[in-house]
Amino acid sequence: MLFNNKYREEIIEAVFEKTNFCFVVVNREGLITYLNKNYCDFIEVTLDDVLGKHVTDVIENTRMHIVAETGTEEIADLQYIKGNHMIANRIPLFAEGELVGAVGTVLYKDTEEWKKMNSHVKALLLEIENYQKKLRNPKGATYSLNDIVGSSIQINDIKEKIKKVSSGDASILLEGGSGTGKELFAHSIHHLSERSAKPFIKVNCAAIPVDLLESELFGYEGGAFTGAKKEGKKGKFQLADGGTLFLDEIGDMPLTAQVKILRALQEGEIEAVGTEKTQKIDVRIISATNQSIEELIKENRFREDLYYRINVISIKIPPLKERAEDIRVTAKFLLRKITQRTGKRVVSFSDSVMHFFMHYDWPGNVRELENVIESAVHLTNTEMIELEDLPDHMQQSLYITEDGMGLKEILSRAEKQALIHAIHKSNGDKIKAADLLGIGKSSFYEKVKKYDL
């Protein structure tokens, strides 16, 4: 039989208050008209406190106001709330054919249970991503020239040089500061070489203890030393046979190992630890360093003859601060990459943040930029990264002294002057002024209101 109206309140209560869902309803302007008890408890508010407030002021990373404005539903979207990835549905509400608001649901049962499942899902996603990379190239090289972001003259010149030198077997030395992406360039060279179907093996010369470096590079015979495997072990040279051996941080390699590497390059053969037998090998050497090899040679810490062997072709990678035009595109690329991995919806940077990025020295280069953006993604409560979202260790860099002014005040003054100049140049036509500044009309009017122009 059909339920009559006398059960209406009981049905509504069962649906909205006694299920394992969080419900929110907003009107056309994005103002909250209803929030069920589950949602109130989850975000630690009361219904009386939030009624009539804009949904963005109450629920982090919400898009309810957008659905209420556009009328486009969003199903099974990941939403980051209170440190967890939740599954959200957002449905537009229509009355007599007119869009009047939106209703949203978030799956919610037990916070601790959800946290465990959330961590498990993220771990599985990372594991799947890792397997996909290995399937794409089981030999170890996972990056190509397309993964190197940037359009500066310096980066384009390096890409062209790599295309020219990759096909040969000449040894290549990549020189650049920490975090400039030397490993990405090494991967790219291997991918474009005739050895691309063969292994790409990496050795971090700074990370392997000195007493183990020779056995790691050249392998060892069974029983060669205490703790050695009975069957022996192949070294990096044997594993890379036919392919490419990438010696990262080669400036930290001890002199004893340098002698053996020089022999391997000169004679095309190696000698495993614990044996006098030689073994023929065919590897291409790509080395990388963030130190001055010339200075190490002067200090008798690096063999000059080995330097000439590994430095047949030299590629210098400039620091990020010397190619400021790459910062904007690199930051946006990294933001997309990080948000896809974390599931948190953050879509852009404020003008102040981007201005700061463009004028910061970036001693850690691209790696530092990526770490800063990842930290800010986790710290922000909105869809846009602001100055206050940058990590603590950078906050002191936000305040430079100029007649007692901090960076925020300097940026505000510069922004206001730019607005005034654009309005004057366009003879008061604010739409034209917005075009001159390269910003949207709504953003322009917000700034005009902010500075009371």
Side-chain angles (χ1 to χ4, degrees):
M1 75 177 204
L2 296 175
F3 292 113
N4 57 35
N5 285 338
K6 77 174 186 177
Y7 297 116
R8 183 173 178 272
E9 290 184 8
E10 287 82 354
I11 294 170
I12 291 174
E13 182 182 6
V15 171
F16 287 95
E17 298 294 349
K18 294 185 178 180
T19 60
N20 295 320
F21 285 87
C22 296
F23 284 92
V24 60
V25 182
V26 300
N27 64 14
R28 185 72 171 77
E29 288 72 40
L31 304 179
I32 293 176
T33 59
Y34 177 76
L35 197 70
N36 75 336
K37 188 176 186 302
N38 272 344
Y39 220 149
C40 288
D41 292 343
F42 181 47
I43 61 177
E44 299 175 335
V45 298
T46 65
L47 182 59
D48 290 340
D49 288 338
V50 300
L51 282 178
K53 287 188 176 180
H54 198 273
V55 68
T56 56
D57 295 327
V58 179
I59 302 173
E60 62 180 310
N61 301 309
T62 184
R63 290 176 53 82
M64 288 294 295
H65 57 300
I66 297 174
V67 174
E69 181 181 355
T70 63
T72 303
E73 70 176 24
E74 297 180 356
I75 303 298
D77 184 35
L78 279 178
Q79 183 174 343
Y80 195 77
I81 307 176
K82 293 181 73 65
N84 295 292
H85 293 93
M86 315 298 283
I87 298 174
N89 295 322
R90 309 178 188 98
I91 310 296
L93 292 175
F94 292 90
E96 298 179 355
E98 181 183 352
L99 180 63
V100 296
V103 60
T105 63
V106 171
L107 178 60
Y108 166 77
K109 183 177 181 182
D110 176 80
T111 304
E112 292 305 316
E113 180 182 326
W114 175 259
K115 284 180 181 177
K116 291 177 184 177
M117 185 168 71
N118 182 53
S119 297
H120 184 59
V121 168
K122 283 194 286 188
L124 288 174
L125 288 172
L126 288 173
E127 188 174 352
I128 290 169
E129 183 181 352
N130 188 43
Y131 285 141
Q132 286 176 331
K133 285 183 178 179
K134 289 182 178 179
L135 285 171
R136 283 195 296 268
N137 194 327
K139 300 301 182 181
T142 55
Y143 302 104
S144 68
L145 213 56
N146 292 329
D147 293 304
I148 298 171
V149 180
S151 56
S152 63
I153 294 174
Q154 299 100 311
I155 289 296
N156 285 335
D157 286 347
I158 292 173
K159 287 182 178 181
E160 289 303 314
K161 188 172 185 179
I162 284 175
K163 291 175 184 177
K164 292 177 182 177
V165 304
S166 292
S167 59
D169 280 336
S171 298
I172 295 176
L173 178 63
L174 302 170
E175 299 177 273
S178 177
T180 50
K182 296 185 289 295
E183 185 172 349
L184 269 69
F185 287 97
H187 282 238
S188 302
I189 293 167
H190 177 77
H191 265 301
L192 292 174
S193 74
E194 299 300 319
R195 299 172 178 262
S196 59
K198 297 293 184 178
F200 176 92
I201 303 296
K202 174 188 173 182
V203 179
N204 188 331
C205 301
I208 302 174
V210 174
D211 55 337
L212 295 178
L213 188 56
E214 285 191 41
S215 61
E216 283 293 314
L217 287 174
F218 308 110
Y220 59 81
E221 290 290 302
F225 50 84
T226 302
K229 294 179 180 179
K230 291 181 180 180
E231 67 275 18
K233 181 184 176 182
K234 288 185 177 181
K236 303 298 186 184
F237 269 88
Q238 292 100 318
L239 293 173
D241 194 24
T244 302
L245 183 63
F246 175 46
L247 300 175
D248 197 12
E249 306 299 349
I250 195 170
D252 291 305
M253 180 173 289
L255 288 169
T256 52
Q258 291 179 31
V259 174
K260 285 201 169 187
I261 286 183
L262 181 61
R263 178 183 175 185
L265 295 179
Q266 288 176 331
E267 308 296 335
E269 59 184 29
I270 61 168
E271 189 177 290
V273 175
T275 181
E276 295 182 357
K277 296 179 181 178
T278 59
Q279 178 183 350
K280 288 289 183 181
I281 48 93
D282 172 27
V283 297
R284 183 186 197 176
I285 297 291
I286 300 177
S287 307
T289 182
N290 59 9
Q291 304 180 67
S292 169
I293 301 294
E294 289 92 340
E295 290 298 319
L296 294 178
I297 291 171
K298 290 177 183 177
E299 297 168 7
N300 294 318
R301 293 167 54 198
F302 203 91
R303 294 182 62 98
E304 189 171 12
D305 46 4
L306 176 59
Y307 174 60
Y308 292 125
R309 281 284 179 179
I310 64 172
N311 191 33
V312 177
I313 297 171
S314 176
I315 297 177
K316 290 181 170 61
I317 305 168
L320 196 56
K321 67 180 180 181
E322 291 182 8
R323 45 189 179 94
E325 60 266 49
D326 286 337
I327 292 176
R328 187 181 300 274
V329 65
T330 303
K332 290 181 177 179
F333 170 82
L334 292 172
L335 180 62
R336 286 195 301 271
K337 170 185 167 184
I338 291 165
T339 53
Q340 285 173 3
R341 185 175 72 242
T342 63
K344 189 171 182 182
R345 188 185 295 276
V346 182
V347 298
S348 188
F349 306 92
S350 71
D351 293 342
S352 298
V353 168
M354 190 55 72
H355 188 278
F356 173 71
F357 282 178
M358 298 290 285
H359 293 84
Y360 181 65
D361 277 346
W362 298 112
N365 295 291
V366 179
R367 186 184 296 119
E368 182 183 9
L369 176 60
E370 181 171 9
N371 290 342
V372 166
I373 294 173
E374 182 162 9
S375 174
V377 165
H378 288 291
L379 290 172
T380 188
N381 291 320
T382 68
E383 294 184 357
M384 180 172 289
I385 292 175
E386 301 286 353
L387 286 173
E388 55 266 28
D389 299 320
L390 300 183
D392 291 341
H393 74 274
M394 296 194 77
Q395 290 297 326
Q396 59 185 356
S397 299
L398 293 173
Y399 300 98
I400 58 176
T401 302
E402 181 179 294
D403 298 328
M405 288 193 299
L407 179 60
K408 291 182 180 180
E409 187 176 349
I410 293 169
L411 291 176
S412 293
R413 284 195 178 189
E415 186 175 60
K416 183 177 180 179
Q417 289 301 317
L419 290 166
I420 292 172
H421 178 72
I423 293 171
H424 177 73
K425 192 171 182 179
S426 59
N427 295 318
D429 186 335
K430 293 184 177 179
I431 294 178
K432 186 177 179 181
D435 289 337
L436 287 174
L437 293 170
I439 59 177
K441 185 171 62 175
S442 58
S443 176
F444 178 83
Y445 281 111
E446 285 177 7
K447 295 180 187 298
V448 167
K449 183 179 179 182
K450 175 182 175 181
Y451 296 111
D452 195 24
L453 297 178

